[in-house]
Amino acid sequence: KYRDKIKAYASDTYWEQDPAKMVQNVERIVKEGFLVTKVHIGYGTPKDDLIRVKTIREALEDIELMIDLNAGYNLLEAQQAIRLWEDYDIFWLEEPVHPDQISVMRDLRLKSNIPIACGENEFGLQGFKQLFDCQAVDVAMPDIGRVGGIQATKEICALADAYGIPVSPHNYSSGILLAATIQLMASTPNTMLLEMDTSENAVYQELLISPLEIADGYIEVPKHPGLGVELNERVLQFQVN
């Protein structure tokens, strides 16, 4: 183990017509103990969504704020977004363009004042090497469930470390993936920021032997053997019904 606790962020604020509703959701997340959150926008144009970025940032000045575009923009739109949003202290801009457009991502990153994060849609070590060789990413985001498991992710983390790139694994909507990601991050020094789904839209913490608690923005690394997961018959029965 390299650490006993991991800083976490909530990935659970989505585009709303009314920016005030997005603020309310972020306020709920902060009350739960998170100091970092990610907001999913990009449904509108960069100029349309400026009001959402501005409203959230001005309402919650002390939190770290990421924006995930879920590959919703082209290069021109992403450039416009960065120019319009860069004054609002964005921790990173995630997957601004289609993940296959690596040269576009590189051009965007080299001109951006906001760090670029991507990698959840890469499926192996070679894909990440291409991202790193092309200087297309500031933060790498491999998903343990997509790249081939814990060992494959450790290899990606080692490669990222050789390029001086931090890793924040993609981790969403799976309790087993959550448990595996925690163990990976606890044992891998160049990882940061555990992604957590707080939307209750999947079987998540119900699979953990002990529930995770967030305090001052951190979760304690569980000390159970293995991943710390068990198949609870009550949860299984609930899902079947």
Side-chain angles (χ1 to χ4, degrees):
K1 248 189 340 182
Y2 284 93
R3 52 178 70 94
D4 294 313
K5 62 180 183 178
I6 303 172
K7 194 171 186 178
Y9 73 92
S11 180
D12 179 25
T13 301
Y14 299 93
W15 191 95
E16 298 260 9
Q17 183 69 44
D18 182 0
K21 291 183 178 179
M22 299 178 72
V23 170
Q24 289 173 359
N25 198 37
V26 177
E27 289 174 338
R28 170 188 63 81
I29 288 166
V30 171
K31 287 178 181 177
E32 291 179 6
F34 292 93
L35 303 177
V36 187
T37 192
K38 185 160 72 181
V39 174
H40 300 257
I41 59 176
Y43 176 78
T45 67
K47 188 173 182 179
D48 290 338
D49 278 338
L50 174 61
I51 185 61
R52 291 164 183 83
V53 176
K54 183 175 185 291
T55 302
I56 292 169
R57 172 47 77 207
E58 291 179 350
L60 297 129
E61 296 180 350
D62 296 330
I63 65 166
E64 296 281 11
L65 177 64
M66 304 104 149
I67 293 177
D68 190 350
L69 290 174
N70 294 110
Y73 283 168
N74 58 35
L75 175 60
L76 177 59
E77 291 168 327
Q79 289 174 327
Q80 291 171 339
I82 288 168
R83 186 175 68 252
L84 290 167
W85 304 347
E86 64 183 358
D87 292 334
Y88 295 96
D89 192 20
I90 308 302
F91 191 80
W92 76 47
L93 185 65
E94 185 174 332
E95 211 167 52
V97 298
H98 193 282
D100 289 342
Q101 297 173 334
I102 295 177
S103 62
V104 174
M105 192 91 71
R106 177 201 61 216
D107 291 345
L108 183 65
R109 176 185 169 266
L110 294 178
K111 298 174 183 176
S112 173
N113 293 321
I114 304 174
I116 301 297
C118 68
E120 69 179 81
N121 288 303
E122 290 294 341
F123 292 89
L125 186 68
Q126 187 59 39
F128 280 92
K129 185 176 187 301
Q130 189 175 6
L131 281 174
F132 302 157
D133 284 341
C134 289
Q135 302 180 37
V137 60
D138 294 294
V139 181
M141 303 188 74
D143 184 306
I144 292 175
R146 295 177 181 173
V147 300
I150 292 174
Q151 182 58 41
T153 311
K154 292 280 283 187
E155 291 168 1
I156 290 167
C157 291
L159 181 66
D161 196 35
Y163 283 80
I165 295 172
V167 177
S168 181
H170 179 259
N171 166 51
Y172 202 74
S173 291
S174 165
I176 298 173
L177 180 64
L178 171 63
T181 301
I182 290 170
Q183 295 300 321
L184 171 94
M185 295 181 71
S187 62
T188 309
N190 66 316
T191 58
M192 65 172 192
L193 291 174
L194 171 68
E195 181 174 22
M196 292 187 65
D197 176 8
T198 59
S199 64
E200 299 183 352
N201 68 357
V203 182
Y204 205 50
Q205 290 212 47
E206 296 92 333
L207 294 176
L208 304 184
I209 293 174
S210 298
L212 299 175
E213 294 185 4
I214 184 89
D216 297 323
Y218 287 81
I219 62 105
E220 296 286 336
V221 176
K223 297 180 174 63
H224 304 291
L227 296 182
V229 172
E230 65 179 2
L231 182 57
N232 185 303
E233 292 295 333
R234 182 183 58 81
V235 173
L236 179 62
Q237 188 64 35
F238 175 79
Q239 295 300 315
V240 170
N241 291 337

